[in-house]
Amino acid sequence: SQLEQEKKRLSTLRAEAEEKEKHLKSLNEEREKLRSDEQKLLTTLREISLLEKMLKSSEDETESLRGDVESLEKRVARSQSQAKEIESVADPTPKTAEQLKTEVSGLEGHAEELKKLQARLESKIEDYETVQRTGSCPTCDREADPTIFVQKIRVKGIEKDEVADKIGQHMISLEEAKSLLEKKQQYEAAQKRLGELNEDILQFNLELEQKSKKVDEARIRYEETDRK
């Protein structure tokens, strides 16, 4: 009958509606799952980007620290080489630089006195030679026997030669003292530099230890980041 047909059609439509509703529900669930997966993917991408930056930062830090360590190692080696070279230089004299300066000053003063004495002797010899040549004193114009000045000229000449020899010996001693003073000053300056170098070496080694520790820490961070 027509009623039964209508009932049958209604039943079919309900079944179709339920099926479509189930399908729609399934689509909605799938869509929510896709949204969730999309968020997870975005989160993962952000984490990957962050890890890549951290990894790059660790690599750069490690490379920079290794460069610092290498530079410090070279500075330590250079300072140790200079210190070893200075240590091999012997002290030229047990005297202090001040004692040597006093000696130089004394020798210079004595040499100056001898030069003045030499000048006075030369002047006196010139006077005697004038008397011998003219027969009169150049100072008072009195007549004088030239023959008696021959011996005087000879004696003063001997004195002048002796003074000249002393001046020569003093000049040699003076040059030796000045040379020794210069070497002593160079030695003392080198010893001061040696102290500075040893302080530098201690500081460099301390910095090297700290940098090496940082390199190890950076390497550990790098490995941890790489494992992620």
Side-chain angles (χ1 to χ4, degrees), residues 62-73:
T62 301
E63 189 64 26
S64 175
L65 287 170
R66 282 175 179 164
D68 291 343
V69 168
E70 184 178 350
S71 176
L72 282 170
E73 286 175 343

Side-chain angles (χ1 to χ4, degrees), residues 157-188:
I158 293 172
E159 289 181 12
K160 188 188 79 168
D161 291 341
E162 289 175 349
V163 170
D165 288 340
K166 289 181 180 179
I167 291 173
Q169 292 171 4
H170 265 69
M171 295 310 294
I172 292 173
S173 297
L174 178 59
E175 290 305 313
E176 289 175 348
K178 285 182 176 180
S179 177
L180 189 58
L181 173 59
E182 183 179 358
K183 290 177 181 177
K184 184 68 175 184
Q185 289 173 330
Q186 290 173 348
Y187 174 79
E188 290 181 348

Side-chain angles (χ1 to χ4, degrees), residues 39-56:
Q39 290 300 318
K40 288 179 181 179
L41 178 60
L42 290 173
T43 300
T44 301
L45 289 173
R46 282 194 293 269
E47 289 179 353
I48 290 173
S49 177
L50 180 60
L51 286 172
E52 286 177 341
K53 290 179 181 178
M54 291 173 63
L55 192 60
K56 182 66 168 58

Side-chain angles (χ1 to χ4, degrees), residues 71-223:
S71 176
L72 282 170
E73 286 175 343
K74 288 180 179 178
R75 292 169 71 183
V76 169
R78 187 164 54 249
S79 294
Q80 287 176 336
S81 176
Q82 292 177 2
K84 187 176 180 180
E85 185 178 345
I86 292 173
E87 287 172 348
S88 66
V89 177
D91 189 347
T93 173
K95 296 178 181 179
T96 66
E98 288 304 316
Q99 288 174 325
L100 291 171
K101 285 180 182 178
T102 301
E103 286 186 16
V104 168
S105 179
L107 286 168
E108 287 176 335
H110 198 185
E112 189 63 30
E113 290 176 1
L114 287 171
K115 287 178 181 179
K116 288 179 181 179
L117 175 58
Q118 184 183 43
R120 289 197 298 272
L121 288 170
E122 289 174 347
S123 177
K124 182 61 70 175
I125 290 172
E126 287 178 1
D127 289 344
Y128 288 166
E129 288 175 343
T130 299
V131 173
Q132 186 185 28
R133 187 174 61 255
T134 63
S136 63
C137 176
T139 304
C140 62
D141 289 331
R142 291 180 182 177
E143 290 186 1
D145 183 0
T147 58
I148 66 174
F149 285 90
V150 174
Q151 179 64 17
K152 289 184 177 183
I153 291 171
R154 188 179 69 81
V155 171
K156 291 298 179 183
I158 293 172
E159 289 181 12
K160 188 188 79 168
D161 291 341
E162 289 175 349
V163 170
D165 288 340
K166 289 181 180 179
I167 291 173
Q169 292 171 4
H170 265 69
M171 295 310 294
I172 292 173
S173 297
L174 178 59
E175 290 305 313
E176 289 175 348
K178 285 182 176 180
S179 177
L180 189 58
L181 173 59
E182 183 179 358
K183 290 177 181 177
K184 184 68 175 184
Q185 289 173 330
Q186 290 173 348
Y187 174 79
E188 290 181 348
Q191 291 302 303
K192 181 181 178 182
R193 177 58 181 155
L194 177 61
E196 293 171 351
L197 285 171
N198 286 331
E199 289 181 6
D200 288 344
I201 290 170
L202 289 175
Q203 183 62 33
F204 290 158
N205 281 327
L206 178 61
E207 291 181 23
L208 185 59
E209 182 181 347
Q210 294 172 343
K211 292 289 185 182
S212 297
K213 184 178 179 181
K214 287 183 178 180
V215 168
D216 292 337
E217 292 172 350
R219 178 180 53 78
I220 292 171
R221 286 197 301 272
Y222 175 84
E223 292 173 351

